[in-house]
Short mmCIF file of all heavy atoms in Angstrom, two decimals:
data_model
loop_
_atom_site.label_atom_id
_atom_site.label_comp_id
_atom_site.label_asym_id
_atom_site.label_seq_id
_atom_site.Cartn_x
_atom_site.Cartn_y
_atom_site.Cartn_z
N CYS A 990 17.04 -94.02 275.12
CA CYS A 990 15.87 -94.09 275.87
C CYS A 990 14.63 -93.93 274.94
O CYS A 990 14.52 -92.88 274.28
CB CYS A 990 15.83 -93.05 277.00
SG CYS A 990 14.30 -92.93 277.83
N VAL A 991 13.75 -94.90 274.94
CA VAL A 991 12.51 -94.85 274.12
C VAL A 991 11.37 -94.53 275.06
O VAL A 991 11.13 -95.23 276.06
CB VAL A 991 12.29 -96.11 273.34
CG1 VAL A 991 11.07 -96.05 272.50
CG2 VAL A 991 13.50 -96.45 272.48
N ALA A 992 10.58 -93.63 274.59
CA ALA A 992 9.34 -93.33 275.33
C ALA A 992 8.14 -93.87 274.64
O ALA A 992 8.00 -93.69 273.44
CB ALA A 992 9.16 -91.77 275.48
N SER A 993 7.26 -94.59 275.35
CA SER A 993 6.04 -95.13 274.70
C SER A 993 4.84 -94.60 275.37
O SER A 993 4.85 -94.17 276.59
CB SER A 993 6.04 -96.68 274.86
OG SER A 993 6.12 -97.05 276.23
N GLY A 994 3.76 -94.51 274.62
CA GLY A 994 2.49 -94.00 275.16
C GLY A 994 1.95 -92.98 274.15
O GLY A 994 2.61 -92.58 273.18
N SER A 995 0.75 -92.44 274.38
CA SER A 995 0.10 -91.51 273.53
C SER A 995 0.28 -90.12 274.15
O SER A 995 -0.29 -89.81 275.28
CB SER A 995 -1.34 -91.83 273.31
OG SER A 995 -1.89 -90.82 272.55
N PHE A 996 1.09 -89.17 273.57
CA PHE A 996 1.47 -88.01 274.26
C PHE A 996 2.29 -87.10 273.35
O PHE A 996 2.63 -87.47 272.25
CB PHE A 996 2.38 -88.35 275.50
CG PHE A 996 3.48 -89.31 275.00
CD1 PHE A 996 4.56 -88.92 274.27
CD2 PHE A 996 3.30 -90.67 275.28
CE1 PHE A 996 5.51 -89.81 273.84
CE2 PHE A 996 4.26 -91.65 274.82
CZ PHE A 996 5.36 -91.18 274.13
N SER A 997 2.50 -85.86 273.82
CA SER A 997 3.42 -84.96 273.18
C SER A 997 4.48 -84.53 274.19
O SER A 997 4.24 -83.85 275.16
CB SER A 997 2.65 -83.74 272.66
OG SER A 997 3.57 -82.76 272.10
N ILE A 998 5.72 -84.99 273.95
CA ILE A 998 6.77 -84.82 274.90
C ILE A 998 7.41 -83.43 274.65
O ILE A 998 7.65 -83.06 273.50
CB ILE A 998 7.81 -85.85 274.74
CG1 ILE A 998 7.29 -87.25 275.11
CG2 ILE A 998 8.99 -85.61 275.66
CD1 ILE A 998 8.21 -88.39 274.88
N SER A 999 7.64 -82.67 275.70
CA SER A 999 8.41 -81.47 275.56
C SER A 999 9.89 -81.70 275.79
O SER A 999 10.63 -82.06 274.94
CB SER A 999 7.86 -80.38 276.49
OG SER A 999 7.80 -80.80 277.82
N THR A 1000 10.32 -81.62 277.04
CA THR A 1000 11.73 -81.80 277.30
C THR A 1000 12.02 -83.32 277.56
O THR A 1000 11.32 -83.99 278.16
CB THR A 1000 12.12 -81.03 278.55
OG1 THR A 1000 11.88 -79.67 278.33
CG2 THR A 1000 13.61 -81.21 278.90
N MET A 1001 13.18 -83.72 277.08
CA MET A 1001 13.74 -85.05 277.41
C MET A 1001 15.16 -84.92 277.88
O MET A 1001 15.83 -83.84 277.69
CB MET A 1001 13.78 -85.98 276.12
CG MET A 1001 12.44 -86.22 275.55
SD MET A 1001 12.44 -87.42 274.23
CE MET A 1001 12.47 -88.99 275.17
N GLY A 1002 15.63 -85.93 278.61
CA GLY A 1002 17.02 -85.70 279.10
C GLY A 1002 17.48 -86.86 279.99
O GLY A 1002 16.84 -87.93 280.04
N TRP A 1003 18.65 -86.58 280.59
CA TRP A 1003 19.29 -87.64 281.44
C TRP A 1003 19.71 -87.01 282.74
O TRP A 1003 20.22 -85.89 282.80
CB TRP A 1003 20.54 -88.16 280.70
CG TRP A 1003 20.17 -88.92 279.44
CD1 TRP A 1003 20.07 -88.40 278.18
CD2 TRP A 1003 19.86 -90.33 279.33
NE1 TRP A 1003 19.73 -89.36 277.26
CE2 TRP A 1003 19.59 -90.55 277.96
CE3 TRP A 1003 19.77 -91.31 280.23
CZ2 TRP A 1003 19.28 -91.83 277.49
CZ3 TRP A 1003 19.46 -92.63 279.80
CH2 TRP A 1003 19.16 -92.82 278.40
N TYR A 1004 19.53 -87.80 283.81
CA TYR A 1004 20.05 -87.48 285.11
C TYR A 1004 20.83 -88.67 285.52
O TYR A 1004 20.74 -89.77 284.98
CB TYR A 1004 18.94 -87.24 286.05
CG TYR A 1004 18.18 -85.91 285.95
CD1 TYR A 1004 17.34 -85.65 284.91
CD2 TYR A 1004 18.39 -84.96 286.92
CE1 TYR A 1004 16.71 -84.43 284.78
CE2 TYR A 1004 17.79 -83.69 286.80
CZ TYR A 1004 16.92 -83.46 285.71
OH TYR A 1004 16.25 -82.25 285.61
N ARG A 1005 21.63 -88.46 286.55
CA ARG A 1005 22.44 -89.67 287.09
C ARG A 1005 22.55 -89.52 288.57
O ARG A 1005 22.45 -88.44 289.23
CB ARG A 1005 23.85 -89.62 286.52
CG ARG A 1005 24.72 -88.57 286.88
CD ARG A 1005 26.02 -88.64 286.11
NE ARG A 1005 26.97 -87.56 286.45
CZ ARG A 1005 28.12 -87.35 285.85
NH1 ARG A 1005 28.53 -88.12 284.80
NH2 ARG A 1005 28.88 -86.32 286.26
N GLN A 1006 22.76 -90.71 289.21
CA GLN A 1006 22.86 -90.77 290.65
C GLN A 1006 24.00 -91.75 291.02
O GLN A 1006 23.87 -92.95 290.70
CB GLN A 1006 21.60 -91.22 291.26
CG GLN A 1006 21.58 -91.17 292.84
CD GLN A 1006 20.24 -91.26 293.49
OE1 GLN A 1006 19.32 -91.72 292.82
NE2 GLN A 1006 20.16 -90.88 294.75
N ALA A 1007 25.04 -91.19 291.61
CA ALA A 1007 26.11 -92.01 291.96
C ALA A 1007 25.85 -92.58 293.42
O ALA A 1007 25.06 -91.98 294.16
CB ALA A 1007 27.48 -91.24 292.00
N SER A 1008 26.47 -93.60 293.76
CA SER A 1008 26.26 -94.23 295.03
C SER A 1008 26.58 -93.20 296.20
O SER A 1008 27.62 -92.59 296.23
CB SER A 1008 27.21 -95.47 295.25
OG SER A 1008 27.00 -96.11 296.52
N GLY A 1009 25.59 -93.03 297.04
CA GLY A 1009 25.74 -92.20 298.21
C GLY A 1009 25.55 -90.64 297.84
O GLY A 1009 25.77 -89.84 298.77
N LYS A 1010 25.17 -90.39 296.64
CA LYS A 1010 24.96 -88.99 296.25
C LYS A 1010 23.58 -88.71 295.81
O LYS A 1010 22.87 -89.69 295.52
CB LYS A 1010 25.98 -88.53 295.22
CG LYS A 1010 27.45 -88.65 295.62
CD LYS A 1010 28.32 -88.15 294.59
CE LYS A 1010 29.78 -88.08 295.02
NZ LYS A 1010 30.72 -87.52 293.93
N GLU A 1011 23.18 -87.45 295.67
CA GLU A 1011 21.88 -87.14 295.20
C GLU A 1011 21.88 -87.25 293.62
O GLU A 1011 22.88 -87.14 293.00
CB GLU A 1011 21.53 -85.71 295.61
CG GLU A 1011 21.37 -85.55 297.11
CD GLU A 1011 20.90 -84.17 297.56
OE1 GLU A 1011 20.82 -83.31 296.61
OE2 GLU A 1011 20.56 -83.98 298.69
N ARG A 1012 20.67 -87.39 293.11
CA ARG A 1012 20.53 -87.39 291.67
C ARG A 1012 20.79 -86.01 291.11
O ARG A 1012 20.39 -85.01 291.68
CB ARG A 1012 19.04 -87.75 291.30
CG ARG A 1012 18.81 -88.06 289.79
CD ARG A 1012 17.40 -88.57 289.56
NE ARG A 1012 17.22 -89.88 290.19
CZ ARG A 1012 16.14 -90.60 289.99
NH1 ARG A 1012 15.20 -90.24 289.14
NH2 ARG A 1012 15.99 -91.82 290.63
N GLU A 1013 21.52 -85.97 290.00
CA GLU A 1013 21.92 -84.69 289.46
C GLU A 1013 21.63 -84.65 287.88
O GLU A 1013 21.63 -85.72 287.23
CB GLU A 1013 23.40 -84.39 289.66
CG GLU A 1013 24.39 -85.51 288.99
CD GLU A 1013 25.80 -85.09 289.15
OE1 GLU A 1013 26.16 -84.14 289.87
OE2 GLU A 1013 26.66 -85.86 288.51
N LEU A 1014 21.50 -83.51 287.42
CA LEU A 1014 21.29 -83.25 285.99
C LEU A 1014 22.53 -83.63 285.21
O LEU A 1014 23.59 -83.23 285.62
CB LEU A 1014 20.89 -81.79 285.68
CG LEU A 1014 20.83 -81.35 284.26
CD1 LEU A 1014 19.70 -82.05 283.53
CD2 LEU A 1014 20.78 -79.86 284.19
N VAL A 1015 22.32 -84.31 284.08
CA VAL A 1015 23.43 -84.54 283.14
C VAL A 1015 23.24 -83.66 281.89
O VAL A 1015 24.04 -82.79 281.57
CB VAL A 1015 23.50 -85.97 282.70
CG1 VAL A 1015 24.64 -86.16 281.63
CG2 VAL A 1015 23.82 -86.87 283.88
N ALA A 1016 22.04 -83.83 281.20
CA ALA A 1016 21.81 -83.05 280.05
C ALA A 1016 20.30 -83.09 279.78
O ALA A 1016 19.60 -84.06 280.04
CB ALA A 1016 22.55 -83.58 278.80
N LEU A 1017 19.78 -82.00 279.17
CA LEU A 1017 18.39 -81.82 278.78
C LEU A 1017 18.36 -81.40 277.30
O LEU A 1017 19.22 -80.65 276.87
CB LEU A 1017 17.60 -80.86 279.65
CG LEU A 1017 17.41 -81.30 281.14
CD1 LEU A 1017 16.80 -80.13 281.87
CD2 LEU A 1017 16.64 -82.55 281.27
N ILE A 1018 17.27 -81.73 276.62
CA ILE A 1018 17.09 -81.26 275.30
C ILE A 1018 15.58 -80.96 275.04
O ILE A 1018 14.73 -81.79 275.39
CB ILE A 1018 17.59 -82.27 274.27
CG1 ILE A 1018 17.49 -81.68 272.81
CG2 ILE A 1018 16.97 -83.66 274.38
CD1 ILE A 1018 18.31 -82.51 271.76
N GLY A 1019 15.33 -79.81 274.52
CA GLY A 1019 13.92 -79.44 274.23
C GLY A 1019 13.47 -80.01 272.89
O GLY A 1019 14.25 -80.62 272.16
N ARG A 1020 12.20 -79.83 272.69
CA ARG A 1020 11.64 -80.45 271.42
C ARG A 1020 12.21 -79.91 270.21
O ARG A 1020 12.36 -80.62 269.17
CB ARG A 1020 10.12 -80.26 271.45
CG ARG A 1020 9.45 -81.03 270.35
CD ARG A 1020 7.93 -81.13 270.53
NE ARG A 1020 7.29 -81.90 269.45
CZ ARG A 1020 7.22 -83.25 269.53
NH1 ARG A 1020 7.74 -83.93 270.59
NH2 ARG A 1020 6.76 -83.98 268.53
N THR A 1021 12.69 -78.62 270.17
CA THR A 1021 13.26 -78.02 268.97
C THR A 1021 14.79 -78.13 268.99
O THR A 1021 15.42 -77.62 268.07
CB THR A 1021 12.87 -76.60 268.92
OG1 THR A 1021 13.28 -75.90 270.05
CG2 THR A 1021 11.33 -76.42 268.78
N GLY A 1022 15.35 -78.79 269.97
CA GLY A 1022 16.80 -79.07 269.98
C GLY A 1022 17.63 -78.25 270.86
O GLY A 1022 18.91 -78.47 270.94
N ALA A 1023 17.06 -77.38 271.63
CA ALA A 1023 17.89 -76.54 272.57
C ALA A 1023 18.41 -77.48 273.68
O ALA A 1023 17.64 -78.34 274.15
CB ALA A 1023 17.01 -75.43 273.16
N THR A 1024 19.65 -77.30 274.08
CA THR A 1024 20.30 -78.28 274.98
C THR A 1024 20.81 -77.49 276.25
O THR A 1024 21.14 -76.30 276.20
CB THR A 1024 21.44 -79.04 274.34
OG1 THR A 1024 22.38 -78.10 273.90
CG2 THR A 1024 20.98 -79.90 273.25
N ASN A 1025 20.95 -78.26 277.26
CA ASN A 1025 21.47 -77.80 278.56
C ASN A 1025 22.36 -78.91 279.18
O ASN A 1025 21.87 -80.01 279.21
CB ASN A 1025 20.43 -77.34 279.50
CG ASN A 1025 20.91 -76.76 280.79
OD1 ASN A 1025 21.97 -76.18 280.82
ND2 ASN A 1025 20.25 -76.98 281.88
N TYR A 1026 23.61 -78.62 279.48
CA TYR A 1026 24.50 -79.64 280.06
C TYR A 1026 25.00 -79.26 281.42
O TYR A 1026 25.21 -78.08 281.74
CB TYR A 1026 25.74 -79.80 279.16
CG TYR A 1026 25.44 -80.45 277.81
CD1 TYR A 1026 25.17 -79.59 276.70
CD2 TYR A 1026 25.44 -81.77 277.59
CE1 TYR A 1026 24.96 -80.15 275.48
CE2 TYR A 1026 25.16 -82.35 276.32
CZ TYR A 1026 24.96 -81.53 275.32
OH TYR A 1026 24.71 -82.09 274.04
N ALA A 1027 25.25 -80.22 282.24
CA ALA A 1027 25.99 -79.96 283.48
C ALA A 1027 27.45 -79.65 283.14
O ALA A 1027 28.01 -80.18 282.08
CB ALA A 1027 26.00 -81.24 284.34
#
């Protein structure tokens, strides 16, 4: 995933949504590399 624009991004990550279900967290990563996973 590439982000474009003029900015300073803090957290980046991924969510997913299966058919018929709510969107859920997959993984996040902070600017310094700290991670969080489902």
Side-chain angles (χ1 to χ4, degrees):
C990 174
V991 180
S993 61
S995 179
F996 45 80
S997 177
I998 298 175
S999 53
T1000 301
M1001 300 187 80
W1003 296 90
Y1004 286 72
R1005 67 187 181 186
Q1006 187 167 16
S1008 180
K1010 296 187 178 181
E1011 295 185 353
R1012 191 173 297 189
E1013 64 176 5
L1014 169 71
V1015 176
L1017 296 174
I1018 184 167
R1020 188 166 185 84
T1021 58
T1024 58
N1025 182 32
Y1026 293 92

